[in-house]
């Protein structure tokens, strides 16, 4: 007997169908508890390889491994039930050949049960995107500032600031669309360029430091919560979670030191 899941997750084709409609809301998520909270409000959760910098203290996303992505992907899939979960392919896991990309993407899908993967690159990744989509793996593309290329780009710089630099980025957008990507992240690019790409493509554009006119937006959750020590200028902080955590930890430390810590209920029964 087949068991129907009660709540159906948003799918990659459902995200594509939102092109030009109600803006697509998304955030990164790396753990199950924050995924559970965000799941109520977002259309997709991205297990971004930014977790290497945000959670693990690396300077770039380059040291992130496939195992690390799978571990966080499992946590986010367990914590959420409604949003599409997209897991980033880390640096070194897909660039070499479409076949290697498929093997690693299939591992991500099998071991996390996420609904799609994301990889960075435009024209140069078109053949790989096509290969994965043809074999049943929905791919979100990522162009503009592609942080895994930080050493080639010479830093985390916004792209396409001068109009004469737009052509290759527009070509990247068309190439990933023709290859079968279901949506494309536009990271750190001049707003008029992001608008032009959004108008030109039949698939949704998801902006981060790009333009409010993109079909959707994504932010790193810790950045918008006010938990990251440094954030890019375009990030609006919607909370002061870092300050709240520090306040709570300070109060706890004060209570322990004064021996007024309320730890005298000798039971592990849960509070109502
Ligand atoms: O890794 C990540 O968090 C990302 C987003 C910034 C789009 O790729």
């Amino acid at each position: 007997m087949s068991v129907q899941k009660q709540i159906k997750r948003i799918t990659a084709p459902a995200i594509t169908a939102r092109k030009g409609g109600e803006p697509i809301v998304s955030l990164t998520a790396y753990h199950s508890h924050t995924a559970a909270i965000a799941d109520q409000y977002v259309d997709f959760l991205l297990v971004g390889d930014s977790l290497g910098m945000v959670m693990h203290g690396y300077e770039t996303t380059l040291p992130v491994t496939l195992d690390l992505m799978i571990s966080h992907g499992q946590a986010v899939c367990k914590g959420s039930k409604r949003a599409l979960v997209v897991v980033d392919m880390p640096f070194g896991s897909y660039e070499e050949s479409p076949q290697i990309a498929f093997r690693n993407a299939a591992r991500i899908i099998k071991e996390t049960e996420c609904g799609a993967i994301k990889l960075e690159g435009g024209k140069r990744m078109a053949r790989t995107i096509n290969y994965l989509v043809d074999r049943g793996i929905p791919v979100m593309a990522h162009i503009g500032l592609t942080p895994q290329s930080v050493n080639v780009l010479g830093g985390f710089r916004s792209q396409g600031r001068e109009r004469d630099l737009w052509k290759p980025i527009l070509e990247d957008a068309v190439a990933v669309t023709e290859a079968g990507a279901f949506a494309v992240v536009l990271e750190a690019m001049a707003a008029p360029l992001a608008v032009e790409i959004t108008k030109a493509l039949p698939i949704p554009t998801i902006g981060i430091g790009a333009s409010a006119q993109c079909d959707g937006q994504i932010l790193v959750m810790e950045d918008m919560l006010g938990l990251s020590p440094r954030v890019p200028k375009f990030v609006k902080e919607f909370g002061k979670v870092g300050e709240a955590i520090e306040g709570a930890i300070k109060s706890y430390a004060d209570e322990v030191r004064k021996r007024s810590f309320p730890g005298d209920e000798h039971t592990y029964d849960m509070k109502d």
Side-chain angles (χ1 to χ4, degrees), residues 28 30 46 48-50 88 118 120 142 185 187 208 218 220:
T28 62
Y30 315 129
L46 172 69
D49 63 350
S50 52
D88 253 345
K118 175 166 84 57
E120 295 182 7
H142 181 158
V185 170
E187 178 163 1
I208 172 161
I218 186 159
V220 169

Side-chain angles (χ1 to χ4, degrees), residues 59-70:
E59 291 287 319
T60 70
T61 56
L62 301 181
V64 173
T65 63
L66 194 57
D67 286 341
L68 197 57
M69 293 308 302
I70 288 173

Side-chain angles (χ1 to χ4, degrees), residues 89 92-106 128 131-132:
M89 296 200 71
S93 70
Y94 62 96
E95 302 87 335
E96 201 173 339
S97 71
Q99 289 77 7
I100 290 176
F102 178 78
R103 200 169 308 143
N104 289 327
T128 296
Y131 191 90
L132 297 185

Side-chain angles (χ1 to χ4, degrees), residues 2-272:
S2 78
V3 180
Q4 291 285 321
K5 279 190 189 155
Q6 277 197 324
I7 299 167
K8 276 177 72 183
R9 272 192 196 268
I10 295 172
T11 61
I15 295 290
T16 305
R18 297 270 296 275
K19 175 70 192 180
E22 195 197 344
I24 298 162
V25 183
S26 61
L27 280 173
T28 62
Y30 315 129
H31 353 76
S32 93
H33 54 358
T34 47
I37 297 170
D39 189 50
Q40 307 165 72
Y41 305 101
V42 304
D43 298 301
F44 74 86
L45 290 164
L46 172 69
V47 186
D49 63 350
S50 52
L51 64 82
M53 298 167 77
V54 177
M55 301 268 312
H56 295 273
Y58 295 125
E59 291 287 319
T60 70
T61 56
L62 301 181
V64 173
T65 63
L66 194 57
D67 286 341
L68 197 57
M69 293 308 302
I70 288 173
S71 171
H72 285 280
Q74 287 168 340
V76 170
C77 286
K78 281 189 197 133
S80 60
K81 53 185 181 216
R82 196 190 128 267
L84 171 68
V85 177
V86 182
V87 176
D88 253 345
M89 296 200 71
F91 176 67
S93 70
Y94 62 96
E95 302 87 335
E96 201 173 339
S97 71
Q99 289 77 7
I100 290 176
F102 178 78
R103 200 169 308 143
N104 289 327
R107 225 193 112 196
I108 293 177
I109 303 255
K110 276 175 189 289
E111 294 182 31
T112 67
E113 297 191 84
C114 70
I117 60 91
K118 175 166 84 57
L119 53 78
E120 295 182 7
K123 286 188 287 281
R124 67 187 166 87
M125 291 316 304
R127 200 162 67 91
T128 296
I129 293 172
N130 191 251
Y131 191 90
L132 297 185
V133 175
D134 264 1
R135 285 157 182 79
I137 298 185
V139 179
M140 178 175 283
H142 181 158
I143 62 169
L145 171 62
T146 46
Q148 292 175 11
S149 304
V150 61
N151 290 331
V152 174
L153 297 172
F156 296 107
R157 298 211 179 91
S158 72
Q159 306 293 300
R161 284 187 180 210
E162 324 289 318
R163 210 167 239 275
D164 55 354
L165 300 173
W166 285 15
K167 190 165 171 273
I169 303 174
L170 277 162
E171 286 170 359
D172 280 343
V174 171
V176 299
T177 305
E178 287 176 355
F182 72 92
V184 56
V185 170
L186 308 183
E187 178 163 1
M189 67 171 66
L193 171 58
V195 171
E196 191 155 321
I197 293 174
T198 301
K199 283 189 191 144
L201 297 191
I203 60 169
T205 57
I206 310 296
I208 172 161
S211 162
Q213 302 311 314
C214 289
D215 297 297
Q217 299 295 326
I218 186 159
L219 282 177
V220 169
M221 193 190 295
E222 281 72 0
D223 289 356
M224 55 78 71
L225 288 178
L227 188 53
S228 300
R230 291 188 72 218
V231 293
K233 280 195 183 140
F234 66 81
V235 171
K236 177 171 175 187
E237 292 183 356
F238 289 82
K240 294 196 181 302
V241 175
E243 280 176 34
I245 291 176
E246 188 176 340
I249 293 174
K250 184 175 176 308
S251 304
Y252 163 74
D254 288 347
E255 291 204 13
V256 171
R257 290 198 181 100
K258 283 190 286 188
R259 298 194 188 282
S260 61
F261 178 65
D264 50 3
E265 279 288 333
H266 295 292
T267 169
Y268 255 80
D269 292 348
M270 291 294 157
K271 290 183 180 175
D272 293 330

